[in-house]
Structures are given as structure tokens and as C-alpha cells.
Amino acid sequence: MMALTALLLIGAAFGAEPTSAPLLWRAISPSSIADQPLPPKKPWMLREQYITFDETLLRILKDAAARPHPPVAVELFDAGRYELDILSTLARSNDTSFIRGQFKPPAQGDFLLVLNGAAVTGTFHPGPRVFKIEPLGNGRHRVIEIDPEQEPKE
């Protein structure tokens, strides 16, 4: 009986539908930003992906009074797709917003985003891994996975 229950639980976990929350960004090809010089890859960067944000979701996230927050998810390479649980938002009069939260269970980890005009910077920590968002200009960004042991300490 216990073996059957365990098998059903494992099957449910692996057969679960992925979150239907819309993605905060989507990947774009490096050729789509050919009008800009690509930033160099640093030794502590494990991988990078060029992205563009969903402008509607960003606009909602920038509004500190917007409640409830819509479902939002991110994809972090092979680390998977995570639905975000926004814990706090803070908007400044200079068009800067700070969004802090964690990954919805069963995932563990947290994130911080800073939105300043069309530029977004941020850090995601799913477990021991570290991912950063960097603005490239003209509304384009890149997400990079960092090797925390090789990253220079600032």
C-alpha cells in the first residue's frame, strides 16, 4: 500500500502541469540586437541569454499600488521555470521601482529586481545558483548565470 502511494505521489510530481503564469521575459537571438555591440563575456559568467521583457507585466510590477499582482514566471536556462511570489514593491518618484520576492513552492530561493525607466537589473537565487539581469540598452537585456566562486567581490 505504501509503495503504491509513493508511486502515485512521484507520478503526480513528475506529471504536474507546468505553471501557466506568463513569462516576465522571452529569449531573443543575438542577431536581433546586431545594432548594438554585444558586451564581452566575463570569466565568471557560465552562460548568457539575450532577453526582452513583457512590457505589460513590467508596467504592472512598477506600480507599487497594483494589487493583487498577476501571476508571473521566469525561465532560468536548465534551472527551470519558476513562478514568482512578489513580497514587496517600492516605487520612487524618479521612475525607479524595487521588487522583492521568492519563488513559489515547491522551489526555494529569492529574487530582487530594480526597474529604472526601461532598464531592469536583478538577481535570482534558486538554491545555490546565481542569475543576474543586465540592461543592454534600447529595452534589451541579458540574463547570465554566474559562477559565485569566480565572481569578483565588489
Side-chain angles (χ1 to χ4, degrees):
M1 184 69 159
M2 288 181 61
L4 180 58
T5 304
L7 197 56
L8 287 172
L9 289 174
I10 289 171
F14 286 111
E17 290 293 314
T19 177
S20 61
L23 288 172
L24 184 56
W25 65 71
R26 65 178 173 80
I28 57 175
S29 69
S31 63
S32 67
I33 56 173
D35 58 331
Q36 302 170 266
L38 295 178
K41 188 171 179 182
K42 308 281 195 298
W44 57 87
M45 293 170 50
L46 297 174
R47 66 184 108 193
E48 64 186 339
Q49 181 179 55
Y50 297 94
I51 60 171
T52 184
F53 281 91
D54 180 311
E55 305 242 349
T56 303
L57 287 175
L58 278 185
R59 196 170 26 260
I60 294 169
L61 291 177
K62 284 179 94 168
D63 182 0
R67 297 285 191 277
H69 293 291
V72 170
V74 295
E75 282 186 349
L76 300 169
F77 303 105
D78 65 344
R81 183 177 176 129
Y82 297 94
E83 192 167 345
L84 304 180
D85 185 10
I86 298 165
L87 300 176
S88 71
T89 57
L90 175 66
R92 301 279 189 203
S93 60
N94 65 353
D95 198 26
T96 301
S97 297
F98 301 88
I99 295 106
R100 185 181 60 80
Q102 61 192 20
F103 300 122
K104 287 192 175 179
Q108 293 187 349
D110 59 7
F111 68 92
L112 173 66
L113 291 172
V114 179
L115 291 67
N116 188 349
V120 179
T121 58
T123 306
F124 292 83
H125 295 104
R129 297 172 78 175
V130 178
F131 298 87
K132 293 189 177 184
I133 305 292
E134 293 182 341
L136 301 174
N138 295 333
R140 296 181 180 119
H141 296 76
R142 72 177 173 177
V143 58
I144 55 177
E145 183 174 5
I146 301 294
D147 180 346
E149 294 188 14
Q150 290 191 20
E151 183 181 25
K153 304 299 177 220
E154 297 180 271

